[in-house]
Amino acid sequence: MASAASFSYAAALTSTVRNKFSLMTWNTAGLDHEPDELRECTLAQCEEVKMYSPDVVYLQEVTPSTCGLLRSTLQDYKMIPATEGRYFTAILLKNSSVQHLSGSIETFFGSKQGRQLQTVRAKCADAELTLMCSHLESQGKSAGERVRQLKTVFERIAEASSNSAVIFGGDLNLRDKEVTKAGGLPNGVFDIWSLCGEPPDAEFTWDPTQNDKLEFPFKMTAKCRFDRLYLKQGTASGLKVVPERFMLVGKKRLPVCETFPSDHWGIVCDFKVEETK
């Protein structure tokens, strides 16, 4: 059932359809795999990108070895890696539909895992976008640092240009109680899954009951909504970026390694850009 926030948000829209675009986010699970398996999984992820053809792609756990393969296989995209460390995020922009304006990287100085906030300013479907991607601190024991990182992101969202819609997301490793500990969603920031009516088949991006990509030394059955997308409108732009469809991808088992492309399901979200009255 959709939240009250999503209903009030939808009721506030009085506008005219202008254009459309789509965005994918996916933790690529680029760590701790045999080279042949890693190559098969990375190529399978590329095929998903080609099939859905999103205008913007957020990737997490990209490694130096997968970065080159992603770049050479997805030549229709401009690939912007956050760094060249052991693993990192990357934002991909489709050459034919997205104009890259600028970008920045902010390191979370309290992170013990080298986590960062990657920001790219771009223009797509006539809308100015501030695209923010991150892989927040992992594991339950890092909840305190993860909440601090989320608060920092909310501050950066608030600082973004009022002419630009902000879309923040990635593998955020979040539990709902941690969003509450961060003070809840700031005014004007919306959970895109909720805006799309909270589709139950697109809730859990981490589902060890279905995804056996990784083996654990203990039985793990908890399903989690680790991967999320958030939206804040550009209030001065005269445009609204409205999510239309939210779905999970990457659920096809691969023929050689006999597992899935990643231990996370990916997310694809379709948006329409509307003129506000």
Side-chain angles (χ1 to χ4, degrees):
M1 183 175 179
S3 66
S6 67
F7 281 121
S8 62
Y9 179 92
L13 296 177
T14 55
S15 48
T16 304
V17 173
R18 187 180 184 117
N19 217 330
K20 297 188 177 185
F21 70 95
S22 61
L23 182 148
M24 172 187 285
T25 182
W26 206 350
N27 181 319
T28 62
L31 301 170
D32 304 324
H33 297 299
E34 294 297 324
D36 289 346
E37 179 181 337
L38 183 59
R39 179 178 176 82
E40 183 185 6
C41 290
T42 303
L43 289 174
Q45 293 157 12
C46 291
E47 288 305 309
E48 293 277 298
V49 172
K50 291 178 179 179
M51 180 170 66
Y52 288 99
S53 192
D55 299 277
V56 178
V57 184
Y58 293 174
L59 298 179
Q60 304 87 51
E61 281 194 24
V62 179
T63 66
S65 61
T66 62
C67 187
L69 185 57
L70 289 162
R71 194 190 300 274
S72 63
T73 307
L74 298 174
Q75 295 188 13
D76 290 340
Y77 290 83
K78 176 183 179 67
M79 184 172 184
I80 309 168
T83 182
E84 293 297 337
R86 177 171 172 256
Y87 66 102
F88 43 90
T89 63
I91 294 178
L92 282 64
L93 307 177
K94 187 186 287 185
N95 296 322
S96 61
S97 60
V98 187
Q99 179 186 0
H100 178 214
L101 301 177
S102 64
S104 63
I105 303 295
E106 179 176 357
T107 298
F108 296 122
F109 290 107
S111 175
K112 296 182 179 179
Q113 300 168 353
R115 303 300 168 83
Q116 301 172 314
L117 173 64
Q118 181 179 14
T119 302
V120 167
R121 289 184 58 251
K123 191 170 184 180
C124 182
D126 290 337
E128 184 176 320
L129 304 174
T130 297
L131 306 168
M132 294 183 173
C133 173
S134 192
H135 185 187
L136 299 188
E137 210 81 356
S138 302
Q139 303 178 348
K141 64 183 180 181
S142 300
E145 173 58 23
R146 188 161 49 249
V147 169
R148 286 189 288 273
Q149 293 171 3
L150 184 62
K151 288 181 177 180
T152 297
V153 175
F154 287 158
E155 291 172 0
R156 300 299 173 263
I157 292 174
E159 294 166 359
S161 168
S162 60
N163 288 314
S164 176
V166 180
I167 303 175
F168 164 60
D171 177 7
L172 307 185
N173 284 302
L174 284 174
R175 290 73 167 168
D176 289 338
K177 62 183 180 182
E178 294 169 358
V179 179
T180 301
K181 287 181 179 178
L185 294 181
N187 184 41
V189 176
F190 294 87
D191 185 319
I192 292 178
W193 176 70
S194 294
L195 290 179
C196 289
E198 301 183 358
D201 60 347
E203 181 173 6
F204 299 114
T205 62
W206 174 268
D207 185 0
T209 67
Q210 301 294 325
N211 191 330
D212 56 2
K213 172 71 172 173
L214 296 183
E215 294 183 2
F216 296 91
F218 52 90
K219 185 174 178 61
M220 184 174 182
T221 59
K223 298 188 288 186
C224 300
R225 196 161 67 93
F226 283 157
D227 305 81
R228 303 187 182 203
L229 289 169
Y230 293 106
L231 171 67
K232 183 183 180 188
Q233 298 293 348
T235 55
S237 67
L239 299 173
K240 282 188 180 291
V241 173
V242 183
E244 292 189 294
R245 181 176 64 160
F246 189 104
M247 61 182 178
L248 302 185
V249 299
K251 293 188 171 186
K252 182 179 180 180
R253 192 178 292 275
L254 305 182
V256 178
C257 66
E258 298 182 342
T259 185
F260 296 98
S262 172
D263 54 340
H264 291 243
W265 307 134
I267 296 169
V268 171
C269 186
D270 297 331
F271 298 86
K272 61 183 176 182
V273 178
E274 299 182 336
E275 295 180 358
T276 56
K277 293 183 179 179

